[in-house]
Every structure is written in structure tokens, then in C-alpha cells.
Amino acid sequence: MRAVGFTECGGPEEMRVLELPEPHAGPGQVRIKVAAAGVNPSDVGLRSGYLKQFFPEVFPQAEVYVVGWDAAGVIDEVGEGVRPELAVGTEAIAMLNPYLAGRGVQAEYVVVDEKTVVRAPKGADLTAASTLLMNALNARTGLDALQLAPGATVAVTGAAGAVGGYAVELAKAEGLTVIADAAEKDRDLVAGFGADHVLERGDGFAGQVRELFPDGVDAVIDAAGMDDAVAPAVRDGGSIVTFRGFTGSTDRGVRWNPVWVTDRLQDTAAMEALRDQAESGVLSLRVAATFPFEQAAEAHRLLEVGGVRGRLVLLF
């Protein structure tokens, strides 16, 4: 079986095609013949070694590391005890934590726990479907941490990105007033997600929010990783969601909520709900570019340059 990964940390050139034993489904598992797998920033962080300095435990002893969090394909093996809708021949989307044993989903075949796989969205091809779960589940987890009532105000940074864009769409679906940031070239894109106010991206974002809402907004979803710079946008006693473990400090009763998608990898109900929202058009499936899996290094180079809107996808 061919897979995409690395044997040593380094630049994009370390990404290569690996020959690995073909896995098979055991009890409570399904095997997916992968058609497409998304490339996420965390893949770059793993390959470069950047994440190793903060999370040495994510690098288990292994000769090779296969990256990739989410993939789409066709179920071709089913183990005992798997729920009936995950039958052989079903188009499916799935998640797998690449930190475990150094094995992610960027391979011709992947075996996953049945709790981490759901039917693919109807009407979407597998390339587009592969872009949903990792980023939408991240955004969903952030919104759930805030526990905002309809009518509340939430500011979203990094709104043109994959997580930020889903945060805007999910927030609007729940009746929230959304203030989002965007570069000039991305204003129409972010407005199309449903943002009520689109402000200039950058260090002045918090000040612009205060001009609109002098007391501050109820909450911030900091998908751009602005950290302390975004804190002035939130009201006294409000909340801020972060995605990289950052926890700031304020003297205004502001609650910081670092969230981790790894906490929801077996939340089948949440994945099914996101799938249904993609089917109904609430959530947008955005493919920025596709690459044959043999060109994974090129995808990593493009992602490192920045400015990607949507998700890069490897095709198998």
C-alpha cells in the first residue's frame, strides 16, 4: 500500500511516497479505500518538527509518519459490530488522529473506528467531502464552548480560512450576530458566509469591533491565532475561544477557552450533524486546489506560503 508521509522532520521535500503493509478492518472498524484527503496546517507542523517542541508525545517511536486528519472514500471492509449504515460500498468521510502511532489518513487504505466515520454528504463529490470534518468539527467545538444564545454577538478572526469560515456559517445558522475579519480581496468571500459585519483584518481588528460595539462583543472565536491582541474586542465577562492552547489573562472576568478537535473525534452525532448541514448548504465545501498524492511536497510548499482559501486536497 502506498501512503504519504516522512521519515525525518524537515522541509516539504521530506514528504514522500511510502510503501506500507495494507491494513485490514477488525471488530468495530471499517476500512476505507481513500479517494481524497485534506492537507491541514497541522500536517505541516508535524512534518517540520515545529509541533514536536511543544508536544513531544505526538511523536511516538516509529520509522515512518503518515500525516492527515480527514479523508473521503469508499468503505471496502467492515468488521464485526459496525452499525448497519456503514456497509461495503458506502461513500464515507472519516477522521483519524495522526498523532497515534504516527499513522494518519493520507494513504490508499485507512482503517478507522466506526465512531469516527459517517456517510459522505449527498450531492458532493469525494474531493469536496474530504474538506469538511477536521475544520468544521473544530469550529463546532469552539461554538459549543461559548454556549451563546440566539442574538448574541460573536467576532471571528481568520474568517476567510477553513476553520474561521465554518465558524461564521455555524454561528449564523444559530442566530448569532457575526463580526468577521477579512483582507480586501476576501471581503466578498466572508460576506458570502453570512457575516453581518466584515472588518479589516489585522492588529486593528479589536479596535474596529469596539467602534461597532462600544461595550465589546459577547465572544470571540480566534481562528487566526491573534491571542492577546483580540482580547479588547470582548466585553467584560465575555469569552474567547482559541485553537492552539493559548490562554491569555485579563482583569475583566474574560474566560479563555482553548479547544482541541481531538476531544471530539468519536462524537459521531456531531459529525453527522455537520454532514447534514453540508448537504443542506449551511456549510460550504471549499477545495482550493488538488494534487496527486505523489505531489504532497508541492501541497506543503503552497500551504506554507499562506493565503490558501479553502483546503488543499491530495487525490489517491
Side-chain angles (χ1 to χ4, degrees), residues 117-276:
V117 55
V118 297
R119 175 182 55 77
K122 294 177 181 177
D125 62 46
L126 291 174
T127 301
S130 74
T131 67
L132 175 67
L133 284 181
M134 168 67 164
N135 300 291
L137 191 58
N138 238 333
R140 178 72 270 162
T141 303
L143 269 174
D144 289 348
L146 294 173
Q147 298 182 327
L148 298 173
T153 53
V154 59
V156 178
T157 69
V163 174
Y166 281 138
V168 173
E169 291 181 324
L170 288 169
K172 285 305 300 177
E174 296 183 2
L176 304 179
T177 297
V178 180
I179 304 91
D181 70 348
E184 185 61 34
K185 65 183 178 65
D186 294 322
R187 289 185 65 88
D188 290 344
L189 173 68
V190 173
F193 295 150
D196 297 283
H197 306 277
V198 181
L199 306 180
E200 184 178 352
R201 176 184 178 185
D203 293 340
F205 178 69
Q208 297 175 72
V209 171
R210 283 285 182 158
E211 290 178 9
L212 277 175
F213 299 90
D215 294 331
V217 292
D218 295 311
V220 173
I221 296 177
D222 186 22
M226 293 178 64
D227 299 337
D228 279 324
V230 81
V234 73
R235 63 170 173 79
D236 294 358
S239 299
I240 301 173
V241 160
T242 65
F243 296 97
R244 297 184 300 182
F246 183 81
T247 54
S249 58
T250 69
D251 57 1
R252 301 186 294 114
V254 172
R255 180 168 57 98
W256 293 80
N257 303 272
V259 300
W260 304 96
V261 72
T262 49
D263 294 337
R264 304 287 292 275
L265 290 189
Q266 294 195 345
D267 191 341
T268 310
M271 296 180 194
E272 289 176 334
L274 293 169
R275 185 270 319 281
D276 292 346

